[in-house]
């Protein structure tokens, strides 16, 4: 955390026009510290501080700045400064920035890149939006299998400075096809005259350039890698994707799923940066759908209006019935969606999920049924509030809870799988949506059980 006196010193130097002293002071900070300083200043001060940074440090700081601050700098910095920074940025970070800028602005910026950087950026931008190709960087070390360990180490000293990571090196043939990956420790422990081919086992994991980013996340997780090679359909090594990129995508995907589970469309921006009108639009759609769904609850109660007039005591337990079914459904759908995102089972395993939810739903229903039954029995001993047929009322509530909790568990677990099979996002079977569905059907179950058990007494 930046000390307040440090911020005050920087602000004071700007106000006094002591830019030479400020320039010397800024060189003493780490990039992360400078990011904090800049993002806490006003726009004018942000530009002054950034202009005083040397190119390499400015590039490192720029890559970690908030997107809105980056846009502000691009609009206000001199063209040569922008070009130098974009040329120095890592290709994957530069592409992530350009994706959020207007097309005409991107075209102008790309034209100002060096020929080599322009070629790389255009290549990255040509891949589908959510593909692995959008994340990859061409900064890696590629070797030939006939090289010696000494040649490899010499090559790393000469070219390794531009590589995104040196923990894993990649072996390609004369046509650029990937044939193996080897950890750097293998070279460090081998004799200098050992050939690369002697260290190869030709067992490696790769990603396809057009592969979906979510699939790549699962591959990273299963193989415990910090970087993976990206190849074309012909097996040509195009670049690598690193773990930090995957963590960013994972965070975005998890955020989107959580927002959908809450019964809202996913926000495209951070909460405080989302305009109020857009926030209302994102939330209103699902609220209207859920409201219309809840109207079916009123319709269900109207359908059983006659029974309710005969046995008004049943109304007392409607909130209990509704909440129990909705809660069990929300639990199930949340657990299943998370398990699916972690790859804990496949769609073909749906029957295993169904079997588990039948057993667990019955167990949970019996637990709640016993609690509900016991509650009525205890209250009856003190108040006689449930009348002479209190035992049948208690039995009705207990049996209904078993059926409703079981149905909630089945609906909450199967709906995400059905949506996935249809090619839709399972997160759209949000907990509120499942709860609303189970509310309506739960009432039908409750009153059906009541008709059967109370017929001839209260009904």
């Amino acid at each position: 955390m930046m000390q307040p006196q440090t911020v005050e010193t920087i602000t004071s130097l700007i106000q006094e026009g002591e830019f030479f002293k400020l320039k010397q002071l800024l060189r003493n900070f780490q990039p992360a510290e400078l990011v904090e300083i800049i993002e806490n200043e006003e726009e004018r001060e942000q530009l002054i501080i950034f202009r005083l940074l040397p190119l390499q440090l400015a590039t490192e700081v720029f890559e970690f700045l908030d997107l809105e601050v980056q846009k502000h700098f691009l609009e206000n910095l001199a063209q040569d400064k922008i070009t130098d920074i974009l040329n120095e940025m890592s290709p994957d970070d530069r592409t992530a920035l350009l994706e959020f800028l207007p097309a005409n602005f991107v075209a102008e910026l790309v034209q100002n890149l060096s020929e080599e950087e322009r070629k790389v950026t255009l290549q990255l931008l040509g891949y589908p939006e959510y593909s692995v190709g959008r994340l990859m960087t061409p900064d890696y070390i590629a070797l030939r299998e006939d090289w010696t360990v000494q040649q490899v180490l010499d090559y790393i000293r000469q070219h390794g400075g531009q590589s995104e990571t040196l923990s894993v090196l990649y072996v390609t043939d004369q046509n650029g096809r990937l044939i193996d990956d080897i950890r750097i420790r293998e070279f460090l422990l081998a004799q200098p005259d050992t050939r690369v081919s002697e260290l190869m086992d030709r067992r490696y994991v790769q990603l396809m350039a057009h592969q979906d980013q979510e699939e790549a996340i699962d591959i990273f997780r299963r193989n415990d890698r910090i970087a993976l090679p990206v190849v074309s359909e012909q097996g040509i090594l195009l670049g690598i994707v690193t773990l930090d990129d995957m963590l960013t995508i994972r965070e975005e995907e998890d955020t989107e799923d959580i927002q959908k589970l809450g019964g809202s469309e996913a926000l495209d921006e951070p909460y405080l940066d989302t305009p109020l009108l857009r926030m209302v639009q994102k939330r209103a759609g699902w609220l209207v759908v859920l409201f219309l769904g809840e109207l079916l609850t009123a319709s269900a109660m109207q359908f059983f209006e006659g029974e309710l007039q005969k046995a008004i005591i049943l109304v007392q337990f409607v909130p209990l019935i509704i909440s129990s079914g909705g809660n069990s459904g929300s639990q199930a759908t949340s657990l299943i969606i998370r398990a699916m995102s972690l790859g804990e089972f496949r769609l073909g395993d749906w029957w295993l999920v169904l079997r588990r939810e039948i057993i667990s739903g019955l167990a949970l229903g019996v637990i709640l049924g016993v609690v509900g039954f016991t509650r009525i029995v205890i209250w009856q001993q003190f108040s006689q509030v449930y009348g002479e047929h209190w035992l049948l009322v208690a039995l009705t509530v207990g049996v209904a809870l078993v059926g409703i909790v079981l149905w909630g568990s089945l609906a909450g677990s199967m709906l995400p799988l059905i949506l996935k099979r249809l090619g839709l996002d399972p997160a759209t079977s949000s907990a509120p949506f499942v709860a609303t569905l189970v509310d309506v059907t739960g009432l039908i179950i409750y009153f059906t059980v009541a008709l059967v058990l109370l017929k001839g007494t209260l009904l």
Side-chain angles (χ1 to χ4, degrees), residues 11 80 86 108 110 112 124 147 160 180 228 232 322 380 437 450:
T11 303
D80 56 347
L86 290 176
E108 183 180 347
V110 169
N112 290 319
L124 287 172
W147 288 8
D180 206 356
L228 282 176
S232 66
I322 288 179
Q380 178 66 19
L437 172 65

Side-chain angles (χ1 to χ4, degrees), residues 236-423:
I236 304 297
L237 180 59
L238 301 173
I240 64 173
V241 172
T242 53
L243 182 60
D244 62 324
D245 296 316
M246 287 295 101
L247 291 176
T248 300
I249 298 300
R250 176 81 275 174
E251 181 183 8
E252 292 174 356
E253 294 293 338
D254 287 347
T255 300
E256 182 178 320
D257 286 347
I258 290 171
Q259 289 170 346
K260 287 182 178 179
L261 276 171
S264 169
E265 291 184 43
L267 302 180
D268 301 321
E269 300 173 281
Y271 175 81
L272 292 178
D273 294 337
T274 303
L276 281 176
L277 179 59
R278 192 178 305 164
M279 177 79 73
V280 172
Q281 292 173 339
K282 292 285 186 180
R283 296 168 65 176
W286 267 111
L287 281 178
V288 170
V289 171
L290 295 174
F291 176 76
L292 293 175
E294 291 292 356
L295 289 178
L296 295 176
T297 303
S299 299
M301 294 190 69
Q302 289 174 357
F303 182 80
F304 293 100
E305 184 178 2
E307 287 72 21
L308 288 173
Q309 289 176 349
K310 295 177 184 177
I312 196 67
I313 195 68
L314 296 176
V315 178
Q316 296 183 23
F317 301 102
V318 168
L320 170 71
I321 297 298
I322 288 179
S323 63
S324 298
N327 291 340
S328 65
S330 298
Q331 280 186 341
T333 197
S334 300
L335 291 172
I336 293 302
I337 289 174
R338 185 56 180 165
M340 290 173 67
S341 69
L342 295 176
E344 294 178 356
F345 61 83
R346 297 170 298 177
L347 280 179
D349 299 326
W350 66 269
W351 61 275
L352 292 174
V353 176
L354 180 64
R355 186 177 65 183
R356 288 176 64 88
E357 288 301 319
I358 288 176
I359 297 173
S360 61
L362 277 173
L364 293 169
V366 169
I367 291 172
L368 292 185
V370 169
V371 172
F373 182 90
T374 304
R375 190 264 190 196
I376 294 175
V377 171
I378 294 174
W379 254 248
Q380 178 66 19
Q381 305 308 311
F382 293 99
S383 64
Q384 304 294 316
V385 68
Y386 300 118
E388 60 177 316
H389 301 293
W390 63 269
L391 190 57
L392 286 177
V393 172
L395 190 61
T396 297
V397 171
V399 172
L401 279 171
V402 174
I404 289 165
V405 172
L406 173 60
W407 164 242
S409 298
L410 292 177
S413 60
M414 291 295 105
L415 190 56
L417 298 178
I418 294 172
L419 290 176
K420 184 71 172 178
R421 174 62 70 185
L422 296 175

Side-chain angles (χ1 to χ4, degrees), residues 185-204:
R185 69 186 304 271
E186 300 294 331
F187 295 100
L188 297 177
L189 297 175
Q191 295 297 320
D193 57 351
T194 303
R195 296 283 177 183
V196 172
S197 57
E198 298 177 52
L199 303 176
M200 293 170 56
D201 58 11
R202 297 184 184 273
R203 292 184 301 174
Y204 57 92

Side-chain angles (χ1 to χ4, degrees), residues 424-441:
L424 303 174
D425 187 353
T428 54
S429 63
S430 60
F433 179 74
V434 172
T436 302
L437 172 65
V438 177
D439 286 352
V440 179
T441 51

